[in-house]
Amino acid sequence: MTEYTPKERLARALTGQAVDRMPAVSVTQTGTVEQMEACGAFWPEANDDAEKMAALAEAGHTVVGFEAVRVPFDITAEAEFFGCEIKAGTQEQQPSVVGHVVKTVEDISKLEGYSLDHGRIGVVCDAIKILAAKYGDKLPIMGSMIGPFSLAQHINGDDWFMAIFTDEAFGLALMEFTTGFNIAYAKKMVENGADTMVIIDPTASAQLIGAEFYQKFVVPYHKRICDAMRELNVTTVLHICGDTTQGLALMESSGVDGISVDQNVDVATAVSKVDKAVIVGNLDPVNMLWNRTPEDIREESQKVLDAGIGLLAPGCGIVSKTPTENLQAMVKMAKNHKY
């Protein structure tokens, strides 16, 4: 069989084409303290500086062995861009959203007219340009962004979950706004060199809001993003936290190429729930990748591979204190696996 470059291999794997072996990637955040020490680019500065962000993303490849480079490392840049208050991160912990800016439809209109060249959104795009210039001909360049439902929740706060039940017009208006932003941002990342788009939408769970509301407030908006990316020949992966088993068919209906599942999902069941989407995951980032041994990780990886996983990867974002040797054990298992 033809031996593919990592870029070709991931694109083919995500679109159901034959490959020589499994790609070794993480579709969720890749930064760790050991990588920071190896490359000299540390959080929180690596969240705000394009050169440092690119350097830490590159360490995922040069230090760990991932066959892709991916930015950013957190999911707060979009909310910060629109003026939400952010609790600063540290070397070991990511920033978080603690203040919100939208309560009414009128508030949404005040956020229009933005420029994607500003703030950390601009930093992420610049980091992608740096990575693409160095690796774009051989490695996948993954851009990642928070999805429209979770961005709406960041912008509106915890009231968001009540809003979609009690004020449909407001809920749909905010989803229109966040999705429009997501599409524009994704296109900007692609323009700068991204060839794979990861949508991290942690609270957009059918288990959390129910299938009816997921169908109304999530599926059409994810579909618009996927359609926009497909027009640009960019593959998409969707990650939603928690036990998404019962919502997998709905997730697939948006047209995503891959679905990243966390450790709460049974892989064999997940594979049986979808028609074409590639199931990605689902090693526990805390109880396995961080806190166990390489041998444990090899054993667990084999179980996940035997269950039919499409891409072996962490089940959620990698914990910053995860040992490099543990991640390398997962990477080696992926590289040694032939479909």
Side-chain angles (χ1 to χ4, degrees):
M1 179 177 285
T2 303
E3 183 174 341
Y4 297 99
T5 66
K7 190 183 188 80
E8 293 169 334
R9 186 179 294 117
L10 181 61
R12 290 179 67 89
L14 284 173
T15 52
Q17 300 179 68
V19 289
D20 50 339
R21 62 166 174 82
M22 180 176 283
V25 300
S26 172
V27 301
T28 52
Q29 97 79 19
T30 61
T32 64
V33 173
E34 288 187 7
Q35 291 177 61
M36 296 175 204
E37 292 170 343
C39 72
F42 294 83
W43 291 347
E45 294 82 8
N47 291 324
D48 300 292
D49 180 284
E51 293 281 353
K52 292 178 180 178
M53 183 181 291
L56 183 53
E58 181 181 16
H61 171 61
T62 59
V63 175
V64 175
F66 288 128
E67 298 177 301
V69 287
R70 181 199 183 281
V71 292
F73 309 106
D74 73 302
I75 54 171
T76 67
E78 298 87 351
E80 182 180 16
F81 180 77
F82 288 115
C84 293
E85 183 183 355
I86 306 296
K87 179 181 178 182
T90 68
Q91 181 177 307
E92 296 178 355
Q93 194 163 20
Q94 297 174 337
S96 56
V97 178
V98 295
H100 317 286
V101 294
V102 165
K103 289 188 177 297
T104 66
V105 172
E106 290 71 28
D107 290 337
I108 300 172
S109 64
K110 298 174 185 177
L111 303 180
E112 298 282 2
Y114 50 80
S115 169
L116 294 172
D117 295 327
H118 299 306
R120 282 202 289 141
I121 297 302
V123 170
V124 172
C125 291
D126 287 344
I128 286 174
K129 185 177 290 187
I130 294 168
L131 292 165
K134 188 168 185 177
Y135 291 108
D137 61 336
K138 56 184 178 180
L139 288 183
I141 310 295
M142 289 187 183
S144 177
M145 60 185 179
I146 194 169
F149 188 88
S150 299
L151 178 55
Q153 190 254 321
H154 274 178
I155 291 174
N156 184 229
D158 289 339
D159 292 343
W160 173 240
F161 298 104
M162 183 60 68
I164 65 170
F165 293 113
T166 62
D167 192 345
E168 180 177 299
F170 169 74
L172 293 175
L174 189 50
M175 285 302 301
E176 286 289 331
F177 174 79
T178 56
T179 303
F181 164 78
N182 275 129
I183 292 171
Y185 183 25
K187 286 181 175 179
K188 181 75 171 181
M189 285 191 271
V190 173
E191 179 183 316
N192 282 23
D195 52 59
T196 309
M197 192 59 53
V198 182
I199 305 165
I200 307 288
D201 216 344
T203 59
S205 171
Q207 182 187 36
L208 183 65
I209 63 174
E212 178 184 349
F213 284 87
Y214 188 93
Q215 183 73 58
K216 180 179 291 185
F217 285 94
V218 180
V219 172
Y221 303 100
H222 283 173
K223 186 176 187 304
R224 282 168 53 184
I225 297 169
C226 293
D227 287 348
M229 292 298 95
R230 189 165 291 106
E231 289 179 4
L232 298 174
N233 198 32
V234 171
T235 52
T236 54
V237 179
L238 172 63
H239 177 83
I240 295 175
C241 297
D243 185 355
T244 54
T245 305
Q246 298 308 314
L248 287 168
L250 281 171
M251 293 167 69
E252 184 180 32
S253 71
S254 65
V256 292
D257 297 297
I259 297 175
S260 170
V261 297
D262 81 9
Q263 60 276 6
N264 294 298
V265 176
D266 177 75
V267 170
T269 303
V271 171
S272 74
K273 294 278 187 179
V274 297
D275 292 325
K276 294 181 179 179
V278 174
I279 299 297
V280 182
N282 68 337
L283 294 187
D284 190 322
V286 176
N287 297 319
M288 183 56 60
L289 290 172
W290 176 19
N291 285 317
R292 301 293 285 274
T293 68
E295 179 56 35
D296 292 332
I297 290 160
R298 284 189 286 270
E299 290 178 5
E300 186 64 20
S301 294
Q302 191 60 58
K303 292 177 184 178
V304 173
L305 291 166
D306 290 344
I309 201 73
L311 289 175
L312 179 67
C316 198
I318 296 169
V319 178
S320 63
K321 292 184 179 181
T322 303
T324 297
E325 64 176 358
N326 286 4
L327 296 174
Q328 289 173 333
M330 177 185 66
V331 165
K332 186 174 181 180
M333 292 297 292
K335 289 181 176 180
N336 289 339
H337 184 72
K338 296 184 184 298
Y339 294 103

